[in-house]
Every structure is written in structure tokens, then in C-alpha cells.
Amino acid sequence: MKEILVIAEHRQGELRDITMEILGLANQLAQAHGLSVTGVFLGADASPFSQTLARTCDRILVVEDPGLDNYNADPYLLVLAQIISQQQPYLTLLGHTAMGMDLAPALSARLAIPLVTDCVGLAFPRDCLEASRQVYGGKVNALLRMKPSSQYLATIRPGSFSVDLAQDKTATVEKLPSPSWEGLKGRRFLGYLEPEVEDVDISEADILVSIGRGIGKPENIPVAEAFAEAIGATLSCSRPVADKGWLPKSRQVGTSGKTVRPKVYIALGISGAFQHQAGMKNSGTIIAVNKDPKAPIFKVAHYGIVADLFQVLPMLTEKFKKS
Amino acid sequence: MNIVVCIKQVPEVTDAELEITKDGTDIDKEDLEMSINEWDNYAVEEAVRIKEAHGGKVTVVTLGDEDAEDVLRRALAMGADEAILIDEEDFEGSDAVGIAKGLYAAVKDLDFDLLFTGVQSSDDAWGQVGLLMAEWLELPFASLAVKIELGQGKALVQRELEANTLEQVELPLPAAVTIQTGINEPRYVSIMGIRKVRNIEIQQRTAGDLGLSDMEIGEQGSHVAQRRLSLPEEGEGAEILTGSLDEICERAAQIIRDRGGVA
């Protein structure tokens, strides 16, 4: 039976959510096409995770080695290239995460297997892989039909599939030996860095006023600050504002920043890249102000104002001063 | 410290009304402004800063049409020393692998310590090119770099992970690194600055010069058989507030108050 291989992701002793999301997708595909699901775990010790994985996999392959405890492209590539060459899975899935983004292209180059990255949907019509992605900053959907191949690789966008806990499989764990570590290129993992000390914890706020690229220049930030103050909100931002150093990184909402779920989230001049959406889409009420009616932020917002934020903000602030 | 930076010219799509071409395979770029891919701008800046601190030279490479010379000139104005333009003609229909093959062929014989690309391009967002090249060049690599320090033949790279976490990795040189936005503050490029570098020769390459056959690049070399683009459906998502600006603001203020905004 053809196989789907799912590369488990873990960090600092915890299985990452993306692993269970991909297993959810893998099981859907497996049921529809008569495939089996194999989980692959590389790490120092698989035992804390094997029960969780066993419920959602038909088979689990484990390579335990102290050198695999923290993700490092060098040894991970060596081990995964060996496993994929031996198992010849039809499809190998990784998360489109800091690990999968790092690993998948090199794996694809090393094994000459076609790769589709950042997929939000996968299907197998007529024996070839069909992948849904987003291009042009999330403003355009792309459906790609791949050429026929005996093997495919894909990375899956976090948050695209629900965590799969409903399976009641009972996979057995097969331990594979560590390979000989020949061919390593000298990359070394040195450690994790603690986040910087923060002035404000935005994930604690009830109301967030969040500014994006549309704020234009740092001189305009006081306009947003005045509004935030008028409604008792905390100021946060999207990636471009933190990238430019206009607000500290600790105020950034999104995949690489903070995940927030305030009662009210007001997005000002934020286009809404998926990395941003992933950090705020579970907020109670989302209001977006953007002059581009096609901005992806309007897909996750509950209320939208299509207008120049510099016209909206002074008037909106005034509404709160009067009352 | 010699550094090669691969860059790309992309259409500006923020705030732009996008249309899909009739054959459904791309967007209509006719009226769109073209500029350097945001990630690549940070990559050029990082390379120039390292050169300024450690000496050496910076070579920028792009694959594009003749207008793509603009992004090369821009990079030269930022402080790059040499520029290579690979003619995209035979690359039409390439996927990330085809593009990476062209760039790989153009840089493989250059003498460099670091190879930079952006993490991804804003158009196709494959996030593959730099790392495919790294693997073919048999270089150690790190993606998503937000800080790079150099010393003793090594690069100390901070990689951006999820949830406000970073990791530090060490790479022996030569190495390939993909650059994340926010790693630095790219310098301003003036029209005067671009004028000053107008006489620097841009080295031209074709697929033929690089020894690439039709089988490896373009549609034949691509893993993608068919690509169909579409715009997201209208009417999903937010309720758009309508009326005069005052009415809209009144309504928004009411929503904020109802949900707990302090008056």
C-alpha cells in the first residue's frame, strides 16, 4: 500500500500543533485514496510522544539520537534522506514552519523529488498531486497540478487543517538505527534565545489597536496611540512595523510574534498576510480599516471599513471623547 | 568576505487591483509597478554592511527581462560591486527549480564566502530557491536569518522560529543564508545614487551561456503541469460598513462600546 510520511515536529519537549494538523490532512487523504499514514519522529527520546502519534498513524518510525534532540538541518537531512530512500513513500509532508521551510527544499534537491511549499489544500485527482496555495501576498489563489511522479514532497501552512485526535489507530513503533554521520556540513545548533524583556504583554490585553504598513511613517503613530488611549486599548502591530523598528518586536502579532485573542481587535492599515491572521483570527470581534477592499484582512474581520485610516481615526477618536 | 546575493524584481500588489490573465496562469502585470522583492532588499543591505565591515565584494544576480536591470542598478547604488543579469527568455514557465538552476549555474564558479537570497519572493512565495542552490552547491545553510555575525571562518546566525523564539546556529564558511525581513534597516536609494552607477557594466548571461538545456528549465524542466489562478470570492468575510464617514464611525464606535471598549 502506498504511504504518506508525516515528519513530526517538536521543540523544547513539546510536539508542535502542526504535526497533528498534518496528520489530520494525511488521514483524510489516506481514507479517500486507500493509503497508509506513517509518522516519522527524530529526537533524543520518542517515548513522551509515541502514544499521541500512535493514535493517528498506521506506523511510526523513530530514530533516537542525542544529536537529533534539537532540530538541525544537517543531521535531519541525512536521516530523512535515508528513510525516504528506503520507504519510497508516495507523499512526504512537513509543516511550512521554521523547520519545514528550512528542511524541505534541501530534501527535495538531495532526493530529486518534486516539492510544493505552503499548501493550504492537497488532492490526488488522476494519480498526480494537486495543491492549493496562495500567491501575491494572499490576494490570489493558485491551484497547481503537478506532473506525474512516483514521489512528492509538500509543506503545509499551519492552521490550514484541524488537529486530528479522532483517530483510534494503534500504530507500533519501529526504531531505526542512527545513520553513520558521514556527510555532515558542519552546521551546529547552539541554543534558543529568550525573547526580549517586554514593556507590555499584548496577549493580556482586552482590546488591541494594531497598526500595519498603512500607518506610513513613525510620525503617524501618535494618531493611532490617541485612538487606543480613547478606547482603553493597547497598541500592537503587524510585521512591517516591527521590522522597521517603529514598535518593539514584543508588540508584533503573528506567527513569529505573539498570538492574541482580545475581545476586540482593530486592524489599521494591515493587509493581513496569513502569518498575521494566524496570530489574531480567534479574537472576539475583529474590525479592519484598509483602503484596499481586496486586502486579505477583510476575510477574517467581522466588520470592515474601506477607507483611508487617517480620515477614519480622528473622527472615530472624537466619538469617544464626546461621550 | 565575498558575498553573492540573488535578487528578484516583483510587482507591487499591496493596494493594487489585481486581474487574472485570460489563460488563467498569471496576473496582469501591465499596470503594476515593479520593485525589488522586499526580502531581497534586506539581503542586499546585509551583504553591503558585511562588506563595509570586513572588506571584499558583493555580486548581485537576477533572472529577469531587460527591465530587471533596474533592481540590479538599485543594488549597485546600495553598494554592490558587480551585477549579473540572466535573460529570462528560455526560463518561461519555470517553477522554483528552474529559476534556481539558472541562478546556480551563474554563481557556481564565482569565488564567494556567503550566498544570500531572501527567504521568499512576494509573488510566488515558494521559499525554495536559496536552499535548492545551497544543496546543489553542497554548502551548509540556514534559513530565516534575523542576525548574522562573522568571525574565525564561521557565521553565527540567528534564525526566526515561531512564537517569538529565536535559535542560534553556527555555519562554517562558505555558507548559504536566506534573509528574513527586519534583519536591518535598508538604506535609502536616491535617483542620484542610481545615476552614479549607470556606467557599471551589467554582465549578461543566457541559458545557453550557462549550459542549461530546455529539459532542465522552462515548462519542460518544471514539476508543475498546470497552474490555474483565481481571485478569492467576493462577499466572504467582513460586513463592510457603509454610509457617510460619520455614519461609519458612529457604527464602528457603537460596535467597540458594545464589545467592551471604554468610553
Side-chain angles (χ1 to χ4, degrees), chain A residues 1 7 37 74 157 170 176 186 194-195 211 224 284 293:
Chain A
M1 186 159 51
I7 314 302
V37 177
D74 239 5
R157 176 178 289 193
T170 49
L176 304 176
E194 296 293 321
I211 55 175

Side-chain angles (χ1 to χ4, degrees), chain B:
Chain B
M1 192 67 57
N2 294 336
I3 307 173
V4 171
V5 190
C6 299
I7 64 179
K8 186 178 189 183
Q9 190 178 44
V10 294
E12 281 281 359
V13 297
T14 314
D15 297 337
E17 177 89 10
L18 301 183
E19 280 176 37
I20 309 291
T21 52
K22 277 208 181 88
D23 65 1
T25 62
D26 208 344
I27 58 165
D28 187 353
K29 294 174 188 162
E30 197 111 315
D31 299 325
L32 297 176
E33 253 180 70
M34 300 295 283
S35 62
I36 186 169
N37 176 43
E38 191 179 1
W39 284 264
D40 302 347
N41 193 34
Y42 285 94
V44 172
E45 176 65 33
E46 192 65 17
V48 171
R49 285 185 189 203
I50 291 171
K51 179 190 85 165
E52 286 166 353
H54 300 267
K57 72 171 179 185
V58 173
T59 305
V60 285
V61 189
T62 194
L63 193 156
D65 61 11
E66 55 193 22
D67 293 337
E69 190 179 316
D70 291 351
V71 294
L72 293 175
R73 293 267 172 227
R74 193 179 185 286
L76 290 168
M78 287 172 80
D81 304 278
E82 294 183 13
I84 301 172
L85 174 59
I86 305 166
D87 185 349
E88 73 176 356
E89 191 172 350
D90 294 317
F91 290 88
E92 197 161 317
S94 290
D95 58 0
V97 176
I99 305 293
K101 278 187 179 156
L103 293 166
Y104 163 73
V107 310
K108 67 180 168 38
D109 297 322
L110 301 179
D111 173 30
F112 62 85
D113 306 286
L114 282 166
L115 172 69
F116 286 172
T117 65
V119 164
Q120 61 186 42
S121 61
S122 61
D123 49 4
D124 276 332
W126 287 113
Q128 294 191 35
V129 168
L131 301 174
L132 292 173
M133 291 172 75
E135 183 62 24
W136 295 329
L137 290 161
E138 299 185 10
L139 295 176
F141 64 83
S143 62
L144 294 156
V146 291
K147 189 174 183 183
I148 301 172
E149 289 171 309
L150 297 168
Q152 294 165 337
K154 286 172 182 154
L156 217 54
V157 179
Q158 285 183 14
R159 297 186 66 231
E160 181 182 82
L161 309 179
E162 291 78 16
N164 210 16
T165 309
L166 302 172
E167 70 169 357
Q168 192 148 42
V169 302
E170 183 188 271
L171 304 173
L173 299 180
V177 180
T178 75
I179 305 294
Q180 179 61 299
T181 58
I183 188 173
N184 53 41
E185 285 177 46
R187 66 198 66 192
Y188 176 74
V189 179
S190 68
I191 293 173
M192 272 306 291
I194 290 176
R195 262 189 215 143
K196 273 190 198 152
V197 297
R198 67 172 174 249
N199 289 327
I200 298 182
E201 189 210 352
I202 296 201
Q203 302 166 46
Q204 311 281 338
R205 301 275 190 280
T206 63
D209 296 340
L210 298 171
L212 292 165
S213 75
D214 291 349
M215 299 295 289
E216 295 174 86
I217 57 173
E219 279 176 21
Q220 282 195 66
S222 171
H223 293 309
V224 180
Q226 198 187 58
R227 160 181 155 114
R228 220 168 52 233
L229 300 192
S230 61
L231 297 173
E233 280 172 36
E234 301 268 351
E236 292 170 24
E239 176 194 339
I240 302 296
L241 306 184
T242 54
S244 69
L245 190 62
D246 186 62
E247 285 162 358
I248 288 173
C249 288
E250 188 56 52
R251 177 85 200 283
Q254 198 53 52
I255 294 165
I256 295 167
R257 278 194 203 98
D258 290 349
R259 306 295 194 282
V262 192

Side-chain angles (χ1 to χ4, degrees), chain A residues 1-3 5 38 40 59 61 80-90 92 151 174 176:
Chain A
M1 186 159 51
K2 283 201 218 170
E3 216 176 5
L5 225 58
T38 301
V40 176
R59 206 153 76 99
L61 303 177
L80 288 176
Q82 186 175 312
I83 291 177
I84 294 170
S85 301
Q86 282 166 358
Q87 304 294 324
Q88 298 281 318
Y90 182 45
T92 299
Q151 283 186 273
E174 300 168 39
L176 304 176

Side-chain angles (χ1 to χ4, degrees), chain A residues 114-127:
Chain A
L115 164 67
V116 203
T117 51
D118 199 14
C119 301
V120 296
L122 289 180
F124 296 115
R126 290 179 308 234
D127 257 9

Side-chain angles (χ1 to χ4, degrees), chain A residues 90 112-114 125-130 145-152, chain B residues 222-226:
Chain A
Y90 182 45
I113 299 174
R126 290 179 308 234
D127 257 9
C128 59
L129 180 67
E130 199 171 75
R145 190 152 53 77
M146 304 299 284
K147 289 178 183 169
S149 171
S150 58
Q151 283 186 273
Y152 295 102
Chain B
S222 171
H223 293 309
V224 180
Q226 198 187 58

